[in-house]
Structures are given as C-alpha cells and as structure tokens.
Amino acid sequence: MTGKLFVVGLGPGAEELQTVQAARALEEADDLVGYAPYVARVSERPHQTRHISDNREELARARHALQLAAHGRTVAVVSSGDAGVFAMASAVFEAIESGDAGWRALDVEVVPGISALFAAAARLGAPLGNDFCALSLSDNLKPWERVLDRLLTAARAGFVIALYNAISRARPWQLNAAFAALREVLPAETPVVFARAVSRADEQIVIVDLARAGSQAADMRTLVLIGTISTRRIERSDGGTWLYTPRSVEKSP
Ligand code: SAH
C-alpha cells in the first residue's frame, strides 16, 4: 500500500495568501509534518496527526514523512512561503535520492506557495520588474565567503537582490557585513527595504538608503530587498513610498 506525500507552501502568513490547492492538500492529509510555527498555522482537524520537529532537522523530518507515506498515509509536509524556496521540498528529494528505493514509487506532489519575496514586492509596488535574484544569507549550509561572493557578484551584475534568512540569534553580524560589502560596489542612495512579517498583523515595511542600512531593522521574519541603480522611488501624497524597477535597463556606457 502506498500513500501520498504533499509538500505544501503555506504562503507568507495571511490565510488569504494560501492557495486553494494548498488548502485542499491540508484538508486531505492524515498527517502533518513540519517545524512547529508552521504546523501551528494549520487549523486542527480531528483524525489528523501533527508531527512537530525542530527547525534544524529537515532531513530527518523528510524521511519521517516519506516513511509515513510509504505506509499508506496521506502526508503533508509544510513550509512557509513556497516549499521550494530555502525550505522543505529540497530535503524531501534529497531524502528520496539517498533513501529507500521504494520511495521512488511514491506519489509526491509539490504544492506551490506565495514566497515572502512576492508578498513583499507586492506591498512595495513593482521592485522586481527587471532581473532579480534571491539569496539566503545563512552560512549554516554554505561558507560565508561563498555567500559574500554571490552577493557581490549579483550586485555588480545589476540584479535586484532579495535576502532571505538575513539575521538570527546565531548569525548576528552577517547582515551588517553584507551591507558594508555592498557599500563598496553600489551607490550610497540604493534603496534597501526591510519587509518584516509581511501579511501578518505586525507587518512593518521600512525603506532606507544603503548608506544608512543597518541590521537593527531586521529580525528572523524579515526579507531584505536591495534595489539597483535603476530602481525608482515614487513619494506618495500620504507620505508613503512606492518602489519600482522599470522593465528596460539602460545600455552600459
Ligand atoms: N520558503 C520561505 C522562505 C523560508 S526561509 C518562502 O518562500 O518565503 C525563512 C526566511 O523567509 C525568513 O528569515 C525571512 O527572510 C523570510 N520570510 C518568511 N516569511 C516572511 C514574511 N511573512 N515576511 C517577511 N519575510 C519572511
């Protein structure tokens, strides 16, 4: 008997930013598997078992979910945002690749979600109108030199840059180091956005110049967005600001 494994992106927080497909998968699941704060976002259902694990146990969690599915259960592994963006979907496939051959026969369905990047961009206007990239600033899974090298390469190439995992208690200095490095290659007035807890009750969005950007504006639920030389600010009559990046890029001199 084989079951089914859904890998579900729950969106950035607000229930209305969760897709209909995600809601259907959560409804169907016998078992929910995930990091505690994400599982807590799913309303409890009788007959559904919740398997909660620590954030650092992604591979073990993926294997556990695969074992449940292999025993015939319908399982939903949940992540915030999109499950494929710095989240559980990769761990599931890593576990399949190195695990029980029978897991390759399982019905696995990855359900897309609205990533923090898209939720934040929509709040600002249209900052992703031209080429952009997403980086995880975490050096838990890759060396810091590699993080910095990718960041500076992206900045020099003119990408709008979204930084996920910008700061945590275990990684307090990296974000300020990143800003210091970026100040060497980007103009001082480059817009930097701190989009915190987007779509939640305590959402806060702050735009500053790169010259003034500091890590005190960020926490674990903050996405940091760094504009380009062509990203524009429109001052609104109510004091707010729209940010957009035009579709066309000027020719290099
Ligand atoms: N899979 C998730 C990202 C997980 S990494 C996604 O697609 O959004 C966790 C990081 O995502 C956080 O450190 C933060 O940078 C960002 N993040 C997640 N939810 C957020 C939210 N509601 N507002 C702003 N940033 C968020």
Side-chain angles (χ1 to χ4, degrees):
M1 185 168 64
T2 62
K4 169 144 191 171
L5 181 64
F6 290 107
V7 187
V8 183
L10 297 173
E15 181 136 11
E16 57 188 2
L17 293 184
Q18 191 184 98
T19 68
V20 175
Q21 199 183 9
R24 210 178 289 140
L26 297 172
E27 188 63 52
E28 255 182 64
D30 303 313
D31 298 88
L32 276 190
V33 177
Y35 175 45
Y38 303 152
V39 171
R41 279 170 49 188
V42 181
S43 37
E44 294 203 36
R45 293 171 175 84
H47 314 304
Q48 193 172 65
T49 311
R50 299 155 88 86
H51 308 267
I52 287 164
S53 49
D54 188 79
N55 206 13
R56 291 169 191 276
E57 297 166 7
E58 286 195 350
L59 207 52
R61 184 192 300 151
R63 290 196 183 109
H64 182 209
L66 286 156
Q67 275 157 1
L68 289 166
H71 281 96
R73 314 273 297 180
T74 297
V75 184
V77 174
V78 296
S79 278
S80 78
D82 180 274
V85 177
F86 308 125
M88 278 303 292
S90 298
V92 167
F93 291 104
E94 198 177 328
I96 292 174
E97 190 180 18
S98 61
D100 188 323
W103 290 351
R104 296 180 184 225
L106 283 174
D107 185 359
V108 177
E109 185 175 337
V110 182
V111 179
I114 297 182
S115 191
L117 169 60
F118 298 119
R123 283 284 193 263
L124 291 157
L128 308 179
N130 213 294
D131 301 338
F132 67 91
C133 66
L135 301 179
S136 170
L137 208 65
S138 170
D139 55 354
N140 289 340
L141 302 171
K142 58 185 179 213
W144 174 246
E145 299 71 49
R146 176 65 69 89
V147 176
L148 210 53
D149 180 49
R150 288 190 178 170
L151 179 68
L152 293 179
T153 302
R156 287 197 189 96
F159 289 106
V160 172
I161 302 167
L163 296 179
Y164 286 78
N165 296 317
I167 199 161
S168 76
R169 227 171 292 147
R171 296 180 289 101
W173 56 265
Q174 284 83 342
L175 182 57
N176 271 338
F179 288 140
L182 286 170
R183 282 193 273 270
E184 302 290 321
V185 299
L186 293 175
E189 64 276 13
T190 303
V192 174
V193 180
F194 296 88
R196 186 170 156 268
V198 178
S199 88
R200 299 181 178 234
D202 52 346
E203 171 179 309
Q204 195 184 22
I205 300 201
V206 176
I207 308 176
V208 300
D209 289 350
L210 177 58
R212 291 186 42 236
S215 65
Q216 68 283 357
D219 67 8
M220 281 187 68
R221 294 182 305 151
T222 303
L223 183 102
V224 177
L225 202 69
I226 298 144
T228 68
I229 201 159
S230 44
T231 302
R232 319 262 320 146
R233 287 178 235 213
I234 304 177
E235 304 307 334
R236 304 182 59 180
S237 31
D238 67 359
T241 305
W242 278 313
L243 214 62
Y244 81 100
T245 309
R247 299 292 312 283
S248 56
V249 173
E250 287 156 36
K251 283 193 188 136
S252 317

